[in-house]
Amino acid sequence: MLPLLCVGLSFVPGVASPRFDFDDALHAALARAGDVDGDKVCDFLAMDRVSGGPLVIVSGKTGERIRVLEAATPEWIFGRSLACAGDVNADGVADQLVGGFGAVRIYSGRDGAVLRELRPAQPNLGFGFHVAGEGELDGDGVPDFLVVTDETRFMYEEGLRRSWGDTPDLQVPGRVDLYSGRTLEPIAYALPLEKEPPLRVDSVVPPCGELEWDQPSPLPLTPFALPAYTVVLGRAAAFLPDRNGDGRSEIAVVCHAPGKTAVLGDPNSGPRGGGMLGTAESGVYVDVRSGADGARLTAFGTTYHPANHEGWLVGSAGDVDGDGTADPYLAVLNQDLCVFSGKTNAPLLRAQACGGYLQGEYTSVAALGDLYGDGRAEIAWAANEVGFDTDGGRWMVLDSKGNELKHEGLGGMVSGFEICAGGDLDGDRVPDLVVLQHTQRTVRAISGSGFTELWRFSFDAAVRASAR
């Protein structure tokens, strides 16, 4: 059953409101908002999540605070997941998509009004764990969006939340609901489908080794299939550019094969052919679906060891290899960031953080675009050190070959960073980036041409009087 569509300006959860916890460290508190103030420069959603708010929109041109969407509260609800929705109400201004504990709001970019509030049919604090916007699912030209429901932990009974060291139930599948941007109502299907085919995995990289930043050579494609009943839908999803030529966005969903991976066989050699995966303890894959009907198109990913590697991200890295096709990435918390070819699914770039530092590596990933004019996109990632230990967070920019271009770190508890692609903020035709730092309660714009600071925002700053 698709979630009920509820309209309202207030949200009263069916169970107790939870506080910030370990799982919320797996979300970036920073996202593109689109051009809200009409200055032709992208603005940004930023959340002081550790302090319980506020959720604000920051000018990408000046670093001033444009608007407060949600004020700081001891038991914050909204601001758990953030995304640009695109212009869903056709007023010429991009709107914002904000997930909460059991609800999702779409805010008007023009004035900050709540256009719609979505809730599931049955109260569930897992609804809104992850959101993504600016997709095209129904061909009407209005950007569509998706909402992920997380069911991997204690089912949110009585507001119970998981802390570091608690084991999630990775056998419980998540859910992805898809919405029309024009009507703000569910479209005809949700994921997983009622009847799922086997998952065909076209490319896989082995578990990470002991050395950090190992860059293995690209591996040959090794197709195999996983029976549908062994594949568990994960907690992250994103839109990818059209891969099958139907003019619709595709949907990338992280899925998980818990325990010893059972391989059905090589699809190319009969229904029960060869193609064993090996001795991996588990696997996490990008399940690429058709945006038109949710059909499985392809899959690729990595095998991994489950302990402490519970967060996954997926998205488009841009054209990393310069072949004219956008390349998707898969990030596994504290383990792997791998970019795969958008044409062949072969691994292109791999960064590893398997040394045991547990800084929250890859809790946010930014597809920066081409910084050097060579036709290849650069990528950045951040480590959100929140609730792990005190060795600190960091952020890093990598070139298309995986070489380090810029690195910044800061020690201490709750010292993590979030990172976001900025586009060209200073008019030099080079993409820039934006970094949020928790301990300092700041958001900074960083030049992509020299990695110098362009502006700095403080959550204590006053609201700009000239806001739209």
Side-chain angles (χ1 to χ4, degrees), residues 174-187:
R175 178 185 173 96
V176 181
D177 289 291
L178 307 161
Y179 292 87
S180 162
R182 182 175 59 83
T183 66
L184 304 183
E185 296 181 356
I187 65 171

Side-chain angles (χ1 to χ4, degrees), residues 11 13-21 24 52 73-78 80 100-102 125-126 153 156-162:
F11 171 61
V15 291
S17 304
R19 292 291 298 269
F20 178 90
D21 78 343
D24 298 310
T73 60
E75 296 285 355
W76 62 270
I77 298 297
F78 289 96
R80 183 189 197 188
F101 289 97
L125 292 180
R153 45 217 154 133
Y156 299 94
E157 294 177 1
E158 299 179 356
L160 181 63
R161 305 300 306 288
R162 195 161 63 81

Side-chain angles (χ1 to χ4, degrees), residues 195-237:
K195 186 176 181 180
E196 293 275 38
L199 181 74
R200 174 193 167 104
V201 180
D202 288 316
S203 179
V204 66
V205 293
C208 66
E210 296 301 321
L211 298 178
E212 291 196 340
W213 303 112
D214 180 26
Q215 297 289 330
S217 300
L219 301 176
L221 297 182
T222 309
F224 58 86
L226 300 174
Y229 69 86
T230 68
V231 178
V232 179
L233 220 62
R235 298 187 285 174

Side-chain angles (χ1 to χ4, degrees), residues 46-272:
M47 174 74 179
D48 181 16
R49 184 174 291 133
V50 177
S51 302
L55 171 62
V56 301
I57 297 182
V58 179
S59 166
K61 188 172 185 178
T62 68
E64 297 175 284
R65 184 165 65 176
I66 297 174
R67 180 178 303 135
V68 177
L69 293 182
E70 294 291 333
T73 60
E75 296 285 355
W76 62 270
I77 298 297
F78 289 96
R80 183 189 197 188
S81 51
L82 311 173
C84 179
D87 183 12
V88 299
N89 61 351
D91 66 352
V93 182
D95 305 307
Q96 291 75 49
L97 189 62
V98 178
F101 289 97
V104 172
R105 281 180 174 174
I106 302 97
Y107 293 85
S108 166
R110 181 169 291 276
D111 58 12
V114 178
L115 300 176
R116 189 66 62 91
E117 185 174 291
L118 310 173
R119 310 176 198 173
Q122 299 296 323
N124 187 335
L125 292 180
F127 181 78
F129 187 84
H130 189 89
V131 294
E134 301 182 284
E136 178 56 87
L137 298 175
D138 50 16
D140 65 359
V142 179
D144 305 310
F145 61 95
L146 61 82
V147 178
V148 175
T149 298
D150 169 35
E151 298 284 14
T152 58
R153 45 217 154 133
F154 301 126
M155 307 295 286
Y156 299 94
E157 294 177 1
E158 299 179 356
L160 181 63
R161 305 300 306 288
R162 195 161 63 81
S163 60
W164 176 252
D166 292 332
T167 303
D169 184 357
L170 295 176
Q171 301 283 352
V172 181
R175 178 185 173 96
V176 181
D177 289 291
L178 307 161
Y179 292 87
S180 162
R182 182 175 59 83
T183 66
L184 304 183
E185 296 181 356
I187 65 171
Y189 70 93
L191 301 174
L193 302 174
E194 291 187 7
K195 186 176 181 180
E196 293 275 38
L199 181 74
R200 174 193 167 104
V201 180
D202 288 316
S203 179
V204 66
V205 293
C208 66
E210 296 301 321
L211 298 178
E212 291 196 340
W213 303 112
D214 180 26
Q215 297 289 330
S217 300
L219 301 176
L221 297 182
T222 309
F224 58 86
L226 300 174
Y229 69 86
T230 68
V231 178
V232 179
L233 220 62
R235 298 187 285 174
F239 291 112
L240 297 180
D242 180 18
R243 291 170 67 110
N244 61 0
D246 65 357
R248 313 289 176 90
S249 302
E250 316 305 355
I251 305 164
V253 185
V254 176
C255 63
H256 171 65
K260 295 290 184 181
T261 302
V263 178
L264 181 65
D266 184 346
N268 296 324
S269 60
R272 310 277 313 169

Side-chain angles (χ1 to χ4, degrees), residues 334-351:
N334 285 321
Q335 178 176 310
D336 255 320
L337 170 61
C338 192
V339 178
F340 295 84
S341 167
K343 283 188 175 180
T344 68
N345 295 333
L348 301 174
L349 178 154
R350 192 180 190 190

